[in-house]
Amino acid sequence: MKKLLLLPLLLIIASCYNAEHNCKDFKTGKFKFEFVVDGIKKTTLFERKDDIEIETFEGKTDTATIRWVSDCEYVLEKKHPKNKSEEKAIGMKILNTTKDSYTFEFGMIGSNQKQRGTVVRVD
């Protein structure tokens, strides 16, 4: 009987936790994304202005257009792709936010392979 009373209580507590979704706060600004490749930490800096993103990675700057699908989802397409893989659009989905960062999931449009990361606001 105690187990039956405990289950609804746990469900109520769990339902009170909602991931924060203030995605509109991240449509513009300067951001940093850090990730590890072969044990080496890499950093990408980018600035987003509604429908354009300017990214700097390893001393090279590139520009992409942004098409917002919803407040928390958008599609990135490089303006000047240098090869076939850069021609593919990337789907981005903001999963949750904090005051100065957000966790997101991304992958090539049409692919089931997704990766996750966290972006931090730098200004």
Side-chain angles (χ1 to χ4, degrees), residues 2-62:
K2 287 182 182 179
K3 289 181 183 178
L4 288 177
L5 294 175
L6 188 58
L7 183 61
L9 181 61
L10 289 174
L11 290 173
I12 290 170
I13 292 170
S15 68
C16 291
Y17 174 78
N18 283 328
E20 193 174 336
H21 284 91
N22 295 324
C23 301
K24 288 181 182 181
D25 293 347
F26 296 96
K27 285 191 172 187
T28 60
K30 293 181 181 180
F31 306 95
K32 174 173 67 172
F33 173 52
E34 295 179 330
F35 56 100
V36 177
V37 176
D38 297 327
I40 299 170
K41 186 169 140 179
K42 307 268 185 174
T43 301
T44 297
L45 297 172
F46 61 95
E47 184 172 2
R48 185 180 302 136
K49 296 179 182 177
D50 289 319
D51 63 348
I52 195 128
E53 185 170 289
I54 301 166
E55 173 186 315
T56 303
F57 176 67
E58 296 185 334
K60 297 178 184 172
T61 301
D62 207 350

Side-chain angles (χ1 to χ4, degrees), residues 21 23-24 27 66-76 90-95 104-105 109 114:
H21 284 91
C23 301
K24 288 181 182 181
K27 285 191 172 187
I66 300 173
R67 181 172 45 88
W68 289 93
V69 179
S70 70
D71 284 340
C72 294
E73 291 186 61
Y74 60 97
V75 176
L76 278 177
I90 300 171
M92 310 288 275
K93 181 177 183 179
I94 298 173
L95 302 173
F104 69 105
E105 181 178 79
I109 298 293
K114 304 289 182 204

Side-chain angles (χ1 to χ4, degrees), residues 101-123:
S101 69
Y102 64 88
T103 302
F104 69 105
E105 181 178 79
F106 66 100
M108 299 286 186
I109 298 293
S111 172
N112 289 332
Q113 291 183 321
K114 304 289 182 204
Q115 296 179 17
R116 286 188 179 200
T118 299
V119 167
V120 177
R121 183 183 305 276
V122 293
D123 75 341

